[in-house]
Amino acid sequence: MSFQHPASPALEAIWDVVSRIPQGQVSTYGAVARAAGLPGRARQTGFALKVAPDGMNLPWHRVVGAGGRIVFPKTSRQYRDQVRLLRAEGVAIREGRVEACAVVDPAP
DNA sequence: GAACTGACTGTAA
DNA sequence: ATTACAGCCAGTT
């Protein structure tokens, strides 16, 4: 068997932070990156979520863009999935944005 | 190794 | 409100 690519420490730190976002709450790409010790690298959070293995069961839907904006195109499948998953845990969404009160800064 | 890409963000017009 | 652009930087071509 060959070795899998070892996940970089940055990736694991991001995965860890995301996994700790409580149900019913939402954070942002930038805030996750910062809590993972990677200030200014919001895009890294997006990449980390994209490459996260399915078996990891990461609550990816609890991560949104700055200001609570859902970053996916409204016509995309992911947009609808994210909205459905968030509403299922009681997060209010209007016009592609989660209510500000649901957006939190992850604990360090 | 340069160029390009991207689940981002803040500023400016 | 919307668009444009610079800054960010790991991955991919």
Side-chain angles (χ1 to χ4, degrees), chain A residues 4 15 48-60 77-78:
Chain A
Q4 294 185 271
W15 290 337
L49 293 180
K50 186 165 75 165
V51 303
D54 281 356
M56 188 172 260
N57 273 352
L58 220 53
W60 62 270
R77 177 73 139 27
Q78 297 192 120

Side-chain angles (χ1 to χ4, degrees), chain A residues 10 19 21 27 32 36 42 52-53 57 59 74 77 85 91 97-99 102:
Chain A
S19 71
I21 302 174
S27 191
V32 167
N57 273 352
K74 290 201 161 175
R77 177 73 139 27
L85 288 166
V91 176
R97 295 230 178 161
V98 307
E99 295 294 325

Side-chain angles (χ1 to χ4, degrees), chain A residues 16-91:
Chain A
D16 183 65
V17 170
V18 172
S19 71
R20 289 183 209 269
I21 302 174
Q23 187 182 41
Q25 296 194 312
V26 167
S27 191
T28 68
Y29 294 93
V32 167
R34 206 163 60 124
L38 304 165
R41 301 192 215 176
R43 306 187 85 138
Q44 199 67 39
T45 301
F47 181 82
L49 293 180
K50 186 165 75 165
V51 303
D54 281 356
M56 188 172 260
N57 273 352
L58 220 53
W60 62 270
H61 57 280
R62 297 185 189 140
V63 183
V64 297
R69 212 181 85 262
I70 293 181
V71 301
F72 300 104
K74 290 201 161 175
T75 58
S76 72
R77 177 73 139 27
Q78 297 192 120
Y79 178 93
R80 284 196 305 277
D81 284 348
Q82 187 165 25
V83 170
R84 181 171 45 73
L85 288 166
L86 287 176
R87 288 202 168 131
E89 25 186 272
V91 176

